[in-house]
Amino acid sequence: MNKTKDIDEKVSYHPEYHIAPVKGWMNDPNGLVFFKGYYHVFFQYYPHKPEWGPMHWGHKRSKDLIHWEELPVALAPGNVEDEDGVFSGSAIVKDEKLWLVYTGHHYYDKKDKNKFWQNQNLAYSEDGISFRKYEYNPIISGPPMDSTHHFRDPKIWRHDDKFYIVLGNQTQNLNGRALRYSSDDMFHWRLDGTLAQSRCTKIEGNMWECPDFFAINNKFILLCSPMGIENQEHKFKNLFQTGYFVGKYNYKNNVCRDSSDFLELDSGHDFYAAQTMLAPDGRRILFAWASMWESEFKEQREGWAGMMCLPRNLIEKNNHLYMQPISEMNNLRTKLLNRGKLVSGTILSRNLSAAEVSFTIKKSLSFTIILNDNRQHRILTLHYNNEKNVFTLSHVDHKDDDRYVKINSSDYLKLDFFIDKSSVEIFIQNGEAVFTERYYASPLGISILANHKINGEFVTYALGM
Ligand code: FRU
């Protein structure tokens, strides 16, 4: 057998320390919540094949956000109110019970996947493991008159004495929109109106999936995943985007003011459908699907597909959201592999499959960081242009489809790479910018190239459970 093929076939793409299904298909994170001593992550799941199919809710829980326990499927489709799929949604704790709110998906004709209708439903659990669907489902039976059939992904929260839901929707004239509903008891809901709506389809989208709404530092953030935004030279290059608007909000009259443009949250090829939860210590923690609908999913040959990004701590500074790996990640360091001064053109660390590599670089001219496979083929290339303050990421599997991000100018650069078998997350300047990437190759080597002396250091740790 050809030797190089042999090397590839022995590589398992399954992550060591990220959430991924053991078998079957995973997409959006759902129902992120802290309940009775555990963080819970649910997710869109099809257990029978590594492909999207009638959606279930898969389920994992953790005491520390890094060691995850696999739990039975929480919700399966098939009831009258969710016949063809239990789509995305969220969770809330009320009266010692864990409540899930989710979209029921229904086809008019199972042969035509474009003709469907959607409603919103509840399920609950006392132990956080086995769930029962609410007997009076649906709680919201259909969209308002001026809407299309796209009506999904409820995010629930409590504010003062009331419950709120923000829902992803599309208007009849094809604008993305987030609808607000409210309730005094969580069972009877009224439509309050539009919380926000796309002001221009090309730059804000025609359907908003997976909305989330919360305040950080008294600023209101509407997080959503719009479909239909057009590519711009250096922005919005994925099939669909995930990003946010930041501004002011008045709960009483449901009016947003001084809203920013739609800002992309992560600049990589593989990031979608982000959702957040409030941790008991007040951190706003984000998970997203570290994949994209147009991706290749080479892991399907191993019987699984799709994974989550690392849990990220969201920080707001000057109307910009930073995403930082949660500090618990330090507890995954099993071994210091190497550290030292940066030298151009040598491999700094090699054979990395589950590892963290951090660079600190004093104000620098341009340079390039390269992740090679063990045959010295470039897998990922991160180029920094010091005049423009722009990072460009090239990926072997996305030829002529680079990704870009501009950062604020600074006297130093800090870069953290988290490698995990088939994913790399690159945190730039403590989360000011992030690239999330899947890749399919042997363990990686990392090197830096520059045509001047680089004043900086690196450190590499092996990560494991
Ligand atoms: C986003 C999404 C949601 C939907 C779910 C179905 O990725 O399309 O809008 O609820 O996936 O799996």
Side-chain angles (χ1 to χ4, degrees), residues 241-281:
Q241 280 67 37
T242 289
Y244 60 98
F245 301 92
V246 49
K248 298 193 179 117
Y249 180 66
N250 183 322
Y251 260 96
K252 258 206 183 126
N253 56 18
N254 186 32
V255 169
C256 291
R257 273 191 305 121
D258 305 337
S259 175
S260 71
D261 289 343
F262 177 72
L263 304 165
E264 242 173 313
L265 196 53
D266 184 292
S267 304
H269 290 87
D270 297 291
F271 186 87
Y272 195 60
Q275 284 285 295
T276 71
M277 73 169 130
L278 202 55
D281 59 12

Coordinates of all heavy atoms in Angstrom, one line a residue, residues 241-281:
Q241 N -23.3 33.4 8.1 CA -22.5 34.0 9.1 C -23.0 33.9 10.5 O -24.2 33.7 10.7 CB -22.3 35.5 8.8 CG -21.3 35.8 7.7 CD -21.7 35.3 6.4 OE1 -22.9 35.4 6.0 NE2 -20.8 34.9 5.6
T242 N -22.2 34.1 11.5 CA -22.6 34.3 12.9 C -22.0 35.6 13.4 O -20.8 35.8 13.2 CB -22.2 33.1 13.8 OG1 -23.0 32.0 13.4 CG2 -22.5 33.4 15.2
G243 N -22.8 36.4 13.9 CA -22.3 37.7 14.4 C -23.3 38.4 15.3 O -24.2 37.8 15.8
Y244 N -23.1 39.7 15.5 CA -23.9 40.4 16.5 C -24.1 41.8 16.2 O -23.3 42.4 15.4 CB -23.3 40.3 17.9 CG -21.9 40.9 18.0 CD1 -21.6 42.1 18.5 CD2 -20.8 40.1 17.5 CE1 -20.4 42.7 18.5 CE2 -19.5 40.7 17.6 CZ -19.3 41.9 18.1 OH -18.0 42.5 18.1
F245 N -25.1 42.4 16.8 CA -25.4 43.8 16.8 C -25.2 44.2 18.2 O -25.7 43.5 19.2 CB -26.8 44.2 16.4 CG -27.2 43.7 15.0 CD1 -27.8 42.5 14.8 CD2 -26.9 44.5 13.9 CE1 -28.1 42.1 13.5 CE2 -27.3 44.1 12.6 CZ -27.9 42.9 12.4
V246 N -24.6 45.4 18.5 CA -24.4 45.9 19.9 C -25.1 47.3 19.9 O -25.0 48.0 19.0 CB -23.0 45.9 20.3 CG1 -22.0 46.5 19.4 CG2 -22.8 46.5 21.7
G247 N -25.8 47.5 21.0 CA -26.5 48.8 21.1 C -27.3 48.9 22.4 O -26.9 48.3 23.4
K248 N -28.3 49.8 22.3 CA -29.1 50.1 23.5 C -30.4 49.4 23.4 O -30.9 49.2 22.2 CB -29.3 51.6 23.7 CG -27.9 52.3 23.9 CD -28.2 53.7 24.4 CE -26.9 54.4 24.7 NZ -26.7 55.6 23.8
Y249 N -31.1 49.2 24.5 CA -32.4 48.5 24.4 C -33.3 49.0 25.5 O -32.9 49.1 26.6 CB -32.2 47.0 24.4 CG -33.5 46.2 24.3 CD1 -34.2 46.2 23.1 CD2 -33.9 45.4 25.4 CE1 -35.4 45.5 23.0 CE2 -35.1 44.7 25.3 CZ -35.8 44.7 24.1 OH -36.9 44.0 24.0
N250 N -34.6 49.1 25.1 CA -35.6 49.5 26.1 C -36.6 48.3 26.2 O -37.3 48.0 25.3 CB -36.3 50.7 25.7 CG -37.3 51.2 26.7 OD1 -38.0 50.4 27.3 ND2 -37.4 52.5 26.9
Y251 N -36.5 47.6 27.4 CA -37.4 46.4 27.6 C -38.9 46.8 27.5 O -39.6 46.0 26.9 CB -37.2 45.8 29.0 CG -36.2 44.6 29.0 CD1 -34.9 44.8 29.2 CD2 -36.7 43.4 28.7 CE1 -34.1 43.7 29.2 CE2 -35.9 42.3 28.7 CZ -34.6 42.4 28.9 OH -33.8 41.3 28.9
K252 N -39.2 47.9 28.0 CA -40.6 48.3 28.1 C -41.3 48.4 26.7 O -42.3 47.8 26.5 CB -40.8 49.7 28.8 CG -41.2 49.5 30.2 CD -42.0 50.8 30.6 CE -42.3 50.6 32.1 NZ -41.9 51.7 32.9
N253 N -40.6 49.1 25.8 CA -41.3 49.2 24.5 C -40.6 48.4 23.4 O -41.0 48.5 22.3 CB -41.4 50.7 24.1 CG -40.0 51.4 24.1 OD1 -39.0 50.7 24.0 ND2 -40.0 52.7 24.1
N254 N -39.7 47.5 23.8 CA -39.0 46.6 22.9 C -38.4 47.3 21.7 O -38.5 46.9 20.6 CB -40.1 45.6 22.4 CG -39.5 44.5 21.6 OD1 -38.3 44.1 21.8 ND2 -40.3 44.0 20.6
V255 N -37.6 48.4 22.1 CA -37.0 49.2 21.0 C -35.5 49.2 21.2 O -35.0 49.4 22.3 CB -37.5 50.6 20.9 CG1 -36.7 51.5 20.0 CG2 -39.0 50.6 20.5
C256 N -34.8 48.8 20.1 CA -33.3 48.9 20.1 C -32.9 50.2 19.5 O -33.5 50.7 18.6 CB -32.7 47.8 19.1 SG -32.9 46.2 19.7
R257 N -31.9 50.8 20.1 CA -31.4 52.1 19.6 C -29.9 52.0 19.4 O -29.2 51.2 20.0 CB -31.7 53.2 20.6 CG -33.0 53.8 20.4 CD -33.2 55.1 21.3 NE -32.9 54.8 22.7 CZ -32.0 55.4 23.4 NH1 -31.2 56.4 22.8 NH2 -31.8 55.1 24.7
D258 N -29.3 52.9 18.6 CA -27.9 53.1 18.3 C -27.3 51.7 18.0 O -26.2 51.4 18.5 CB -27.2 53.7 19.6 CG -27.8 55.0 20.0 OD1 -28.4 55.6 19.1 OD2 -27.6 55.4 21.1
S259 N -27.9 50.9 17.2 CA -27.4 49.6 17.0 C -26.2 49.7 16.0 O -26.2 50.4 15.0 CB -28.6 48.8 16.4 OG -28.1 47.6 16.0
S260 N -25.2 48.9 16.3 CA -24.0 48.8 15.4 C -24.4 48.1 14.1 O -25.5 47.5 14.0 CB -22.9 48.0 16.1 OG -23.3 46.7 16.2
D261 N -23.4 48.1 13.2 CA -23.5 47.2 12.0 C -23.5 45.8 12.5 O -23.1 45.5 13.6 CB -22.3 47.4 11.1 CG -22.4 48.8 10.4 OD1 -23.5 49.4 10.4 OD2 -21.3 49.2 9.9
F262 N -23.8 44.9 11.6 CA -23.7 43.4 11.9 C -22.2 43.1 11.9 O -21.5 43.4 10.9 CB -24.4 42.6 10.9 CG -24.3 41.1 11.1 CD1 -24.9 40.5 12.2 CD2 -23.5 40.4 10.2 CE1 -24.7 39.1 12.4 CE2 -23.3 39.0 10.4 CZ -24.0 38.4 11.5
L263 N -21.7 42.6 13.0 CA -20.2 42.3 13.1 C -20.0 40.8 13.2 O -20.6 40.2 14.1 CB -19.7 43.0 14.4 CG -20.0 44.5 14.5 CD1 -19.8 45.1 15.9 CD2 -19.1 45.3 13.5
E264 N -19.1 40.3 12.4 CA -18.8 38.9 12.4 C -18.1 38.5 13.7 O -17.2 39.3 14.1 CB -18.0 38.5 11.2 CG -18.7 37.6 10.3 CD -18.0 37.3 9.0 OE1 -17.6 38.3 8.3 OE2 -17.8 36.1 8.6
L265 N -18.4 37.4 14.3 CA -17.9 37.1 15.6 C -16.5 36.3 15.4 O -15.6 36.5 16.2 CB -18.9 36.2 16.3 CG -18.7 36.0 17.8 CD1 -18.6 37.3 18.5 CD2 -20.0 35.2 18.3
D266 N -16.4 35.4 14.5 CA -15.2 34.6 14.3 C -14.9 34.7 12.8 O -15.8 34.8 12.0 CB -15.6 33.2 14.7 CG -14.4 32.2 14.7 OD1 -13.9 31.9 13.6 OD2 -14.0 31.7 15.8
S267 N -13.6 34.7 12.5 CA -13.2 35.0 11.1 C -12.8 33.7 10.4 O -12.4 33.8 9.3 CB -12.0 36.0 11.1 OG -12.4 37.1 11.8
G268 N -13.0 32.5 11.0 CA -12.6 31.3 10.4 C -13.6 30.7 9.4 O -14.7 31.3 9.2
H269 N -13.2 29.6 8.8 CA -14.1 28.9 7.9 C -15.2 28.1 8.6 O -16.2 27.7 7.9 CB -13.3 27.9 7.0 CG -12.4 28.6 6.0 ND1 -11.1 28.9 6.3 CD2 -12.6 28.9 4.7 CE1 -10.5 29.5 5.2 NE2 -11.4 29.5 4.3
D270 N -15.0 27.8 9.8 CA -15.9 26.8 10.5 C -16.5 27.3 11.8 O -15.9 27.0 12.9 CB -15.1 25.5 10.7 CG -14.7 24.9 9.4 OD1 -15.5 24.4 8.7 OD2 -13.4 24.9 9.1
F271 N -17.5 28.1 11.7 CA -18.1 28.6 12.9 C -19.5 29.0 12.6 O -19.7 29.8 11.7 CB -17.3 29.9 13.4 CG -17.7 30.5 14.7 CD1 -17.1 30.0 15.9 CD2 -18.6 31.5 14.7 CE1 -17.5 30.6 17.1 CE2 -19.0 32.1 15.9 CZ -18.4 31.6 17.1
Y272 N -20.5 28.5 13.4 CA -21.9 28.8 13.1 C -22.8 28.6 14.3 O -22.4 27.8 15.2 CB -22.4 28.0 11.9 CG -23.7 28.6 11.3 CD1 -23.7 29.9 10.8 CD2 -24.8 27.8 11.3 CE1 -24.9 30.4 10.3 CE2 -26.0 28.3 10.8 CZ -26.0 29.6 10.3 OH -27.2 30.2 9.8
A273 N -23.9 29.3 14.3 CA -25.0 29.0 15.2 C -24.6 29.1 16.7 O -25.0 28.3 17.6 CB -25.6 27.6 15.0
A274 N -23.8 30.2 17.0 CA -23.3 30.4 18.4 C -24.5 30.6 19.4 O -25.5 31.3 19.0 CB -22.4 31.5 18.4
Q275 N -24.4 30.2 20.6 CA -25.3 30.4 21.7 C -24.5 30.6 22.9 O -23.4 30.2 23.1 CB -26.3 29.2 21.9 CG -27.3 29.1 20.8 CD -28.4 30.1 21.0 OE1 -29.2 30.1 21.9 NE2 -28.6 31.0 20.0
T276 N -25.2 31.3 23.9 CA -24.5 31.6 25.2 C -25.3 31.1 26.4 O -26.5 30.9 26.3 CB -24.2 33.1 25.3 OG1 -25.4 33.8 25.6 CG2 -23.6 33.7 24.1
M277 N -24.6 31.1 27.5 CA -25.2 30.9 28.8 C -24.5 31.7 29.8 O -23.3 32.0 29.7 CB -25.2 29.4 29.2 CG -23.8 28.9 29.7 SD -24.0 27.3 30.4 CE -22.7 26.4 29.6
L278 N -25.3 32.0 30.9 CA -24.7 32.7 32.0 C -24.2 31.7 33.0 O -25.0 30.9 33.5 CB -25.7 33.6 32.6 CG -25.3 34.8 33.4 CD1 -24.3 35.7 32.6 CD2 -26.5 35.6 33.8
A279 N -22.9 31.7 33.3 CA -22.3 30.7 34.3 C -22.7 31.3 35.7 O -22.9 32.5 35.9 CB -20.9 30.6 34.1
P280 N -22.7 30.4 36.7 CA -23.0 31.0 38.1 C -22.0 32.1 38.5 O -22.4 32.9 39.3 CB -22.8 29.7 39.0 CG -23.0 28.5 38.1 CD -22.5 29.0 36.7
D281 N -20.8 32.1 38.0 CA -19.9 33.1 38.4 C -20.0 34.4 37.6 O -19.2 35.3 37.7 CB -18.4 32.6 38.4 CG -18.1 32.2 37.0 OD1 -18.8 32.4 36.0 OD2 -17.0 31.5 36.8

